[in-house]
């Protein structure tokens, strides 16, 4: 038996979120909770995924226009057993089935695999955990041999059962065949008038099957979210795990509690990240990189030995080895900085290709531009890339020098070794090696008298 069907329950309303958005679409680490579960499910080879939706089914569908999962609608939420029953038609013959939850986002592929490995024709598996405070959860009832024999919901439990600290996480795995056989047998004669999936355990025992109790690697894997407070708490737990993984791989963090990763971050070794940095999307960092406080880096690659100073924002860009950026640099999409480049304070770049060793140190806008090597762009230089309708390109050759406060009106090019006098407005080509002076000539007027005050 190698086929795996993964049923993800996501029909609940999530009343306590007080939101128009279905609960499972609320984000953890920048990604909807349901996406976390789907990603874990995707790590299981050949798994067929079935998402059971109810409240906000259309929004869930629209959120995943191309995702390879089936969706079944549970129009009325009559309980977890009823929810899984809605998915029966999607299960494949001879598949092993695992039940996951769209609001339990941190389940890992390792635990899913362990659960599936413990299923065979006469074993079902159940994910349980010991909690210091088991309140609210279904309690695990074991016989005097220690075998799991039933789950009793909190609201149906007697005093003795309420003292049990081993609880049901809700995650269960068994064959499709047994689900087909047993789900129709579940009734709703209980305190909540719901069809409890948990009743399967007693049914399984009654039919002579054994239940393998499996435990997760960490409690966060089975933490379910019902409120924004719980979501924020799990976010911190998860961020701390990501911070620990990063440190374990050779990057130092000034404070692991002030680090946020929303996406995939990979880093070499001997990097240092100061407080309050945020990494989004796919970010790769080389080695010996130093990142100052309050930086935001999105979908970018940072080369070796780069120094990024405080309050720098980098999006969809590539930063060459040994570059120095910031403080307060804004590197917008399509920027490619060569090695040993410098982009200083209050400089904005966009679609700018900057050759090795070039410098834009102060107060500039460089957009839709291609700079050669060892170019020096003086303070306050602006590429006027937009004529009000179209964007145009500025090209600056190797070893050129652009004096401070120049405006370069694109399309325009400055040849290699070109020199632009400070304060110039450049609207036509500067040939190789020329000096361009594009400003009004200074006149000095001798004997000038200051105006005097009228009475
Ligand atoms: C359930 C378990 C309980 C376990 C707990 C772990 C049952 C009867 N009880 O209780 O033993 O300790 O989870 O968190 O299974 N859902 C649907 N359709 C429904 C009902 C629920 O999709 O008709 C989904 C909900 O969206 C939610 C999940 O199933 O994601 C759990 O449902 P909920 O009613 O919250 O179960 P609990 O009472 O927490
Ligand atoms: Ca309930």
């Amino acid at each position: 038996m190698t086929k795996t069907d993964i049923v993800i329950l996501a029909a609940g309303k999530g009343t306590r979120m007080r939101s128009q958005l279905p609960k499972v679409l609320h984000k953890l680490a920048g990604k909807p909770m349901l996406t976390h579960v789907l990603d874990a499910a995707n790590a299981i080879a050949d798994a067929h995924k079935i998402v059971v939706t109810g409240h906000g089914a259309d929004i869930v569908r629209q959120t995943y226009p191309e995702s390879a999962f089936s969706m079944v609608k549970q129009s009325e939420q009559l309980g977890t057993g009823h929810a899984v029953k809605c998915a029966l038609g999607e299960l494949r013959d001879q598949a092993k089935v695992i039940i996951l939850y769209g609001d339990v986002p941190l389940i890992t592929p390792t635990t899913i695999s362990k659960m599936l490995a413990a299923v065979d024709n006469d074993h079902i598996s159940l994910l349980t955990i010991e909690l210091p405070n088991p309140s609210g959860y279904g309690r695990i009832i074991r016989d005097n041999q220690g075998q799991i024999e039933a789950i009793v919901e909190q609201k149906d439990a007697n005093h003795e059962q309420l003292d049990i600290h081993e609880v049901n996480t809700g995650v269960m795995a068994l064959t499709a065949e047994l689900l087909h056989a047993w789900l129709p047998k579940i009734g709703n004669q209980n305190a909540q008038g719901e069809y409890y999936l948990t009743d399967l355990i007693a049914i399984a025992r009654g039919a002579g099957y054994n239940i393998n109790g499996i435990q997760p690697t960490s409690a966060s894997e089975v933490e379910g979210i019902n409120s924004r407070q719980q979501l924020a708490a799990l976010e911190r737990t998860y961020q701390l795990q990501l911070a620990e993984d990063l440190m374990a791989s050779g990057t130092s963090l000034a404070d692991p509690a002030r680090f946020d990763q929303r996406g995939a971050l990979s880093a070499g070794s001997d990097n240092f990240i100061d407080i309050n940095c945020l990494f989004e999307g796919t970010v790769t960092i080389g080695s010996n990189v130093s990142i100052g406080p309050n930086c935001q880096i999105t979908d970018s690659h940072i080369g070796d030995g780069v120094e990024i100073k405080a309050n720098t924002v980098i999006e969809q860009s590539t930063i060459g080895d040994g570059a120095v950026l910031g403080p307060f640099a804004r590197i917008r999409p399509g920027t490619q900085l060569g090695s040993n480049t410098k982009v200083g304070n209050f400089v904005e770049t966009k679609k700018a290709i900057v050759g090795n060793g070039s410098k834009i140190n102060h107060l500039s806008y460089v957009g839709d531009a291609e700079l050669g090597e060892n170019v020096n762009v003086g303070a306050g230089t602006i590429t006027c890339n937009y004529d009000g309708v179209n964007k145009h390109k500025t090209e600056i050759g190797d070893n050129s020098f652009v004096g401070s406060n120049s405006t370069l009106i694109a399309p325009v090019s400055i040849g290699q070794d070109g020199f632009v006098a400070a304060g110039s407005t450049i609207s036509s080509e500067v040939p190789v090696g020329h000096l361009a002076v594009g400003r009004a000539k200074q006149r000095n007027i001798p004997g000038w008298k200051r105006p005097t005050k009228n009475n």
Side-chain angles (χ1 to χ4, degrees):
M1 228 183 324
T2 52
K3 278 185 268 182
T4 303
D5 288 349
I6 301 183
V7 177
I8 303 170
L9 301 193
K13 191 168 180 188
T15 314
R16 285 203 271 152
M17 298 301 282
R18 299 198 186 281
S19 174
Q20 299 298 315
L21 194 67
K23 177 166 70 171
V24 296
L25 296 184
H26 281 259
K27 288 177 179 173
L28 180 85
K31 185 162 93 173
M33 289 194 271
L34 180 56
T35 308
H36 283 270
V37 182
L38 289 166
D39 286 352
N42 284 335
I44 307 300
D46 293 325
H48 173 216
K49 295 163 291 279
I50 303 126
V51 179
V52 180
T53 55
H55 289 277
D58 296 341
I59 309 173
V60 173
R61 182 75 278 179
Q62 286 157 21
T63 305
Y64 303 94
E66 279 151 34
S67 198
F69 62 78
S70 309
M71 215 173 95
V72 296
K73 195 162 172 185
Q74 184 196 22
S75 302
E76 257 191 301
Q77 280 71 61
L78 303 178
T80 48
H82 177 258
V84 178
K85 207 168 152 190
C86 293
L88 279 180
E90 292 288 330
L91 302 182
R92 296 173 298 178
D93 286 344
Q94 321 230 292
K96 289 184 185 182
V97 184
I98 183 162
I99 321 288
L100 303 178
Y101 297 82
D103 58 1
V104 183
L106 295 184
I107 189 80
T108 61
T110 309
T111 297
I112 296 174
S113 300
K114 249 197 322 191
M115 292 287 292
L116 292 167
V119 171
D120 59 28
N121 285 323
D122 43 31
H123 285 84
I124 80 173
S125 53
L126 183 69
L127 193 63
T128 76
I129 189 169
E130 293 264 351
L131 291 180
N133 175 11
S135 178
Y137 289 91
R139 307 297 204 278
I140 303 297
I141 313 298
R142 290 182 182 259
D143 66 15
N144 44 24
Q145 256 99 68
Q147 298 296 314
I148 295 175
E149 58 178 9
I151 300 171
V152 177
E153 290 304 292
Q154 160 110 7
K155 287 181 180 151
D156 301 293
N158 62 32
H159 280 300
E160 210 177 307
Q161 291 165 334
L162 287 174
D163 276 345
I164 298 172
H165 286 252
E166 186 184 10
V167 304
N168 173 32
T169 65
V171 178
M172 193 185 286
L174 69 168
T175 65
E177 197 188 339
L178 293 178
L179 278 173
H180 277 291
W182 294 340
L183 280 177
K185 295 188 181 174
I186 291 178
N188 63 351
Q189 308 299 304
N190 51 52
Q192 302 185 81
E194 287 181 7
Y195 294 88
Y196 290 166
L197 182 65
T198 47
D199 284 358
L200 283 187
I201 300 301
I203 294 174
R205 265 310 280 263
Y209 288 79
N210 287 313
I211 292 102
N212 284 319
I214 308 282
Q215 280 70 47
T217 316
S218 83
S220 60
E221 271 196 78
V222 295
E223 210 148 302
I225 301 303
N226 294 307
S227 66
R228 292 175 194 265
Q229 294 89 324
Q230 289 172 344
L231 183 58
L234 191 62
E235 176 82 30
R236 291 331 310 157
T237 305
Y238 184 50
Q239 289 301 339
L240 209 49
Q241 286 173 11
L242 294 172
E244 308 238 318
D245 291 347
L246 189 61
M247 290 189 287
S249 76
T251 289
S252 292
L253 297 178
D255 182 358
R258 284 179 289 172
F259 161 84
D260 281 84
Q261 176 182 333
R262 300 179 192 151
L265 172 62
S266 68
S269 58
D270 296 305
N271 301 309
F272 173 75
I273 300 175
D274 215 321
I275 56 170
N276 296 331
C277 290
L278 169 59
F279 299 85
E280 294 175 304
T282 303
V283 176
T284 55
I285 298 177
S287 292
N288 299 302
V289 171
S290 149
I291 302 177
N294 311 318
C295 291
Q296 179 178 3
I297 303 179
T298 307
D299 291 316
S300 292
H301 171 72
I302 312 297
D304 293 332
V306 169
E307 185 183 357
I308 299 171
K309 296 179 187 172
N311 301 299
T312 291
V313 176
I314 303 174
E315 279 171 277
Q316 293 171 39
S317 293
T318 304
I319 311 302
D321 296 345
V324 180
L325 284 76
F328 296 98
R330 177 162 186 222
I331 310 298
R332 290 175 52 207
T335 299
Q336 293 174 34
L337 301 183
S339 56
N340 303 310
T341 48
K342 283 192 176 163
V343 174
N345 43 215
F346 307 109
V347 171
E348 174 181 344
T349 65
K350 187 216 70 174
K351 278 194 193 155
I353 298 172
V354 179
N356 299 339
S358 291
K359 299 179 178 125
I360 314 164
N361 271 331
H362 329 267
L363 302 160
S364 281
Y365 171 67
V366 175
D368 299 299
E370 195 168 337
L371 279 60
E373 301 195 348
N374 302 313
V375 170
N376 187 69
V377 175
T381 298
I382 305 293
T383 56
C384 309
N385 60 330
Y386 186 52
D387 60 13
V389 183
N390 295 302
K391 298 280 171 68
H392 300 282
K393 193 169 174 187
T394 300
E395 287 174 290
I396 306 179
D398 293 347
N399 307 312
S400 296
F401 183 100
V402 179
S404 297
N405 200 32
S406 294
T407 48
L408 310 178
I409 304 176
V412 74
S413 68
I414 297 167
Q416 201 179 309
D417 296 305
F419 203 103
V420 171
S424 291
T425 294
I426 301 296
S427 56
S428 61
E429 186 192 343
V430 178
V432 172
H434 280 55
L435 165 67
V437 187
R439 65 187 184 216
K441 194 163 193 263
Q442 181 176 331
R443 287 188 300 147
N444 290 336
I445 299 170
W448 180 71
K449 297 271 187 303
R450 289 193 187 196
T452 51
K453 205 171 171 94
N454 295 329
N455 289 322

